[in-house]
Amino acid sequence: MSFGYLLVVSEHESVDYLKLAYGLSLSIKNTQREGYDKVALVIDNKEKLLGLTSSWVFDHVIEWNQETFWDGRSWMDQLTPFDNTVCLDVDMLFTEDYSHWAEYFIENSELYIANKTYTYRGEVITGDYYRRTFTKNNLPNLYSLYTFFKKDSKLAEEFFELGRQIIKNPIEFSNLFLSEHKPKVVGTDEAFALAAKLLDITDVIAYPLEFPRIVHMKPMVQNWPWPADTWSDHVGFYLNRYGKLKIGNYQQNGIVHYVEKNKIDDEMINILEEIAWKK
Amino acid sequence: MTTGILVYAHNSRSLDYALMSLIAAGLAKKNLNVPVSLVTDPSTVEWMRESNILEKATSVFENLIIVERPITDNQRKLCDGKNESMVPFVNSNRASAYDLTPYNRTLLIDSDYFIFSNRLSEYWNIDDDVLIGQSINDIYSGDRLGYNDRYISEVGINLYWATTVMFSKTPRAKTFFDTVNFVKENYKHYADIFRFDNRQYRNDIAFSVAKHILDGFINLDSGRLPPVLTTLDKDILASVEDNKLTFLISTPLGEKYIPASITDTDIHIMNKQSIIRHGSQLLEMI
């Protein structure tokens, strides 16, 4: 039974998503136990990998260009080469070994989606500034940025199929089921949450756990006393040469969803590469 | 293992810390059933003599530990109900508690923290070298607390309340107090790193920074004493009868007062003048 992480990227006019996926993949290689450190990359053009120093961090590269980046993730169940997969957003970094989370999900779940995130100070995020669609329409608070599934699961198959239908028909589903607060874009989070609600499987795929522990750096939910456009205006982001990450005065030990895409610059990549090379 | 309580008292021209510490010590000794020692200075002892409480003090305190009065330019606004004044705070030597305490396990309390229950007794044998009050609970509601009552700054770490600190004589606790002292001596530097306001030294901040550093720059669930139930300085201690303290609690905008009473509950009374006004009744309770 194979296990691995699936990352989906495609061309974007202003963000180099491959670079973010590269940083994430390096951090996975640097922190995860052998057997739990495999990464598959789905990319619209394999040629782009030629620009990377260590493209070996991607154990599988799948060229696929049928959908754009956002819609592409909803095909995760059909794209993965693994029996057990965690599909991740690429603007994240692993800071510690989470192999035991994967072991738990392989043993106990067919499908599990993160349903709780934390501030950089370790507080559970309760603010709904970015999630009015969820609270107004009584959707489960799902975060597709960490989605575990088994390839042979009927439950997962049904769920992802409905998720794709929602993403393909956003106006119809919004009018019918999200009328209390329609999102500007029906993204993967909204589609997955609505699919879980319609299939009535929230208790099965998003029951309370202390993990995955994901630090979500959207600025308006950091429990600050004032509004903020960008979190990096207020707290520093410090990756040391051992790959330990501090945000502000807090050591990070969860998966950090840093949101601001420019955080992974060449200096960060160099640090992560050096650790990977020495491992 | 010896257990006991440690209180600090350095009188100022505005506030009779000697009297407050005597009340706090007497109540703590009575309700926790352990001895109490006082860290003080010669002028405060002299004031005890002048104000005729020295005899009482020598019966309540197991030890009077005389130290040099700390030099301070710490001035803080303190309310007595609706009246405000600037008063000096002479409390910057709290980090010396580790060296000065005569006990193996010590509960360090502020002199305006009055113990009416045995709740803190549960912590004598907890396997933590240092424990600190994890937060304050306002007697009225959380609405009156500001952001800086919960965090040391807007983006900074949790604020712990050194109103109650329990510690053992262990190398780890020594490291903790050494770190508090180091933060105190390099306060501006740590203010830059931890983004807090450094204009006035505050024990709570130095203790919080030390805990955060020694906890590995994360929030740990361990090393915490219960939240400190608190009346603010704009509240007024109105009466002390039998075992009951009654306060007039200022509503959030300060437009009116509502009464609230407590019995058998530990309480941090920030309005120090109103403690002193009821000093004789409070002394009768010890």
Side-chain angles (χ1 to χ4, degrees):
Chain A
M1 291 279 279
S2 59
F3 170 81
Y5 293 98
L6 182 70
L7 316 181
V8 183
V9 299
S10 64
E11 183 77 39
H12 188 276
E13 58 185 19
S14 58
V15 178
D16 183 355
Y17 280 102
L18 175 58
K19 188 174 191 173
L20 308 188
Y22 183 51
L24 172 56
S25 193
L26 284 163
S27 74
I28 289 171
K29 293 293 182 200
N30 293 345
T31 54
Q32 304 308 293
R33 269 199 336 256
E34 196 175 335
Y36 294 92
D37 62 348
K38 297 289 181 281
V39 179
L41 176 73
V42 176
I43 187 166
D44 53 353
N45 179 3
K46 269 186 177 179
E47 296 281 308
K48 292 179 192 164
L49 269 71
L50 296 173
L52 301 180
T53 310
S54 300
S55 58
W56 55 265
V57 296
F58 300 116
D59 301 279
H60 303 266
V61 178
I62 301 147
E63 195 167 53
W64 186 81
N65 58 7
Q66 290 176 29
E67 304 286 348
T68 60
F69 168 69
W70 285 110
D71 295 343
R73 278 195 310 157
S74 66
W75 294 85
M76 61 177 79
D77 56 321
Q78 301 196 9
L79 293 167
T80 185
F82 306 116
D83 300 320
N84 299 280
T85 303
V86 171
C87 185
L88 299 167
D89 275 11
V90 294
D91 50 347
M92 308 211 288
L93 284 175
F94 279 36
T95 60
E96 283 189 3
D97 183 10
Y98 316 116
S99 307
H100 52 296
W101 300 352
E103 285 175 332
Y104 172 87
F105 289 128
I106 291 167
E107 185 72 24
N108 297 288
S109 296
E110 291 181 40
L111 175 64
Y112 190 88
I113 302 178
N115 45 79
K116 188 164 57 173
T117 55
Y118 295 83
T119 70
Y120 71 105
R121 295 191 276 209
E123 303 148 324
V124 174
I125 290 176
T126 54
D128 71 344
Y129 182 84
Y130 303 104
R131 296 207 142 216
R132 299 272 155 77
T133 295
F134 292 73
T135 48
K136 297 282 185 189
N137 295 291
N138 202 23
L139 295 182
N141 192 32
L142 302 189
Y143 294 87
S144 63
L145 44 64
Y146 186 104
T147 302
F148 169 85
F149 61 94
K150 280 189 161 61
K151 198 167 192 176
D152 60 0
S153 163
K154 283 283 172 199
L155 174 75
E157 184 185 336
E158 193 178 8
F159 173 80
F160 288 121
E161 182 53 40
L162 179 54
R164 281 190 284 275
Q165 289 299 324
I166 293 168
I167 286 173
K168 290 288 179 200
N169 303 284
I171 296 170
E172 291 79 2
F173 276 93
S174 287
N175 285 340
L176 272 173
F177 300 111
L178 306 176
S179 56
E180 296 300 317
H181 190 281
K182 290 182 187 173
K184 286 180 187 160
V185 177
V186 177
T188 317
D189 284 354
E190 289 84 358
F192 280 12
L194 182 54
K197 184 178 177 182
L198 293 176
L199 295 171
D200 194 20
I201 56 170
T202 304
D203 292 346
V204 179
I205 69 165
Y207 50 90
L209 285 175
E210 288 304 304
F211 54 89
R213 195 176 173 90
I214 294 162
V215 174
H216 201 308
M217 286 308 296
K218 281 205 169 165
M220 289 294 284
V221 289
Q222 298 305 317
N223 294 340
W224 290 335
W226 17 249
D229 289 333
T230 50
W231 61 261
S232 58
D233 287 345
H234 305 286
V235 286
F237 183 83
Y238 315 101
L239 184 71
N240 74 11
R241 56 193 291 229
Y242 305 106
K244 296 294 179 194
L245 177 65
K246 271 208 190 95
I247 298 179
N249 298 117
Y250 281 87
Q251 187 72 52
Q252 302 301 315
N253 52 23
I255 299 174
V256 174
H257 180 43
Y258 50 81
V259 178
E260 290 178 21
K261 317 301 184 215
N262 60 0
K263 281 288 146 279
I264 295 302
D265 54 18
D266 289 345
E267 185 184 350
M268 298 283 177
I269 292 290
N270 286 343
I271 291 170
L272 293 168
E273 281 177 339
E274 282 206 17
I275 298 166
W277 296 338
K278 288 174 184 167
K279 194 176 177 193
Chain B
M1 185 180 82
T2 57
T3 55
I5 295 162
L6 195 65
V7 187
Y8 279 66
H10 298 292
N11 258 13
S12 70
R13 285 179 187 156
S14 318
L15 291 169
D16 188 349
Y17 280 97
L19 176 61
M20 284 193 291
S21 68
L22 182 56
I23 298 164
L27 291 169
K29 184 177 177 180
K30 177 181 170 184
N31 291 298
L32 295 180
N33 202 23
V34 292
V36 189
S37 292
L38 178 72
V39 179
T40 187
D41 59 76
S43 67
T44 301
V45 173
E46 187 53 40
W47 169 252
M48 285 180 180
R49 194 184 319 276
E50 282 179 31
S51 58
N52 295 318
I53 60 169
L54 185 59
E55 190 180 345
K56 183 87 173 167
T58 50
S59 70
V60 168
F61 292 113
E62 184 180 46
N63 302 288
L64 291 181
I65 301 163
I66 310 296
V67 299
E68 261 185 55
R69 181 186 172 79
I71 297 164
T72 183
D73 53 3
N74 239 359
Q75 294 263 337
R76 275 193 223 161
K77 188 180 82 175
L78 196 66
C79 295
D80 176 10
K82 290 187 173 175
N83 301 320
E84 290 180 10
S85 57
M86 293 299 289
V87 299
F89 267 63
V90 189
N91 65 349
S92 60
N93 57 346
R94 223 43 82 75
S96 63
Y98 180 88
D99 293 323
L100 296 177
T101 184
Y103 310 113
N104 297 124
R105 182 78 164 172
T106 302
L107 173 63
L108 171 66
I109 59 171
D110 279 358
S111 56
D112 57 0
Y113 186 67
F114 295 163
I115 292 175
F116 290 98
S117 78
N118 65 355
R119 186 172 64 150
L120 288 171
S121 293
E122 294 170 22
Y123 293 84
W124 292 122
N125 296 315
I126 294 276
D127 190 18
D128 261 320
D129 295 327
V130 181
L131 302 109
I132 312 179
Q134 60 182 279
S135 59
I136 59 167
N137 280 345
D138 181 4
I139 194 169
Y140 178 78
S141 83
D143 295 349
R144 297 195 307 172
L145 298 180
Y147 203 82
N148 290 335
D149 294 315
R150 299 187 179 95
Y151 302 96
I152 67 169
S153 69
E154 285 82 352
V155 298
I157 62 172
N158 288 8
L159 180 69
Y160 291 85
W161 286 75
T163 310
T164 54
V165 180
M166 190 177 278
F167 61 95
S168 298
K169 279 270 195 185
T170 62
R172 184 172 162 74
K174 176 164 175 41
T175 303
F176 175 83
F177 280 95
D178 286 348
T179 307
V180 171
N181 200 43
F182 194 78
V183 171
K184 188 188 89 176
E185 288 177 356
N186 300 278
Y187 205 59
K188 182 164 184 336
H189 170 76
Y190 281 97
D192 287 343
I193 293 175
F194 283 84
R195 308 272 190 92
F196 58 82
D197 184 343
N198 70 330
R199 287 174 293 179
Q200 291 165 336
Y201 173 75
R202 205 176 149 192
N203 283 312
D204 299 322
I205 289 179
F207 277 67
S208 298
V209 169
K211 177 168 169 55
H212 190 71
I213 291 170
L214 294 176
D215 284 350
F217 292 87
I218 58 174
N219 289 335
L220 285 185
D221 290 335
S222 58
R224 297 173 177 215
L225 287 173
V228 177
L229 182 67
T230 298
T231 60
L232 306 184
D233 57 358
K234 56 189 176 181
D235 304 331
I236 298 165
L237 176 57
S239 71
V240 178
E241 289 173 356
D242 300 328
N243 219 17
K244 185 167 80 174
L245 271 56
T246 301
F247 298 90
L248 293 174
I249 304 296
S250 173
T251 50
L253 296 175
E255 73 277 25
K256 60 181 179 181
Y257 284 95
I258 57 169
S261 295
I262 59 152
T263 53
D264 303 328
T265 305
D266 304 345
I267 185 90
H268 180 209
I269 303 173
M270 286 188 173
N271 184 339
K272 296 164 183 34
Q273 296 291 11
S274 73
I275 295 172
I276 291 161
R277 280 195 293 274
H278 292 86
S280 54
Q281 295 106 303
L282 287 163
L283 277 176
E284 284 172 16
M285 298 173 85
I286 69 177

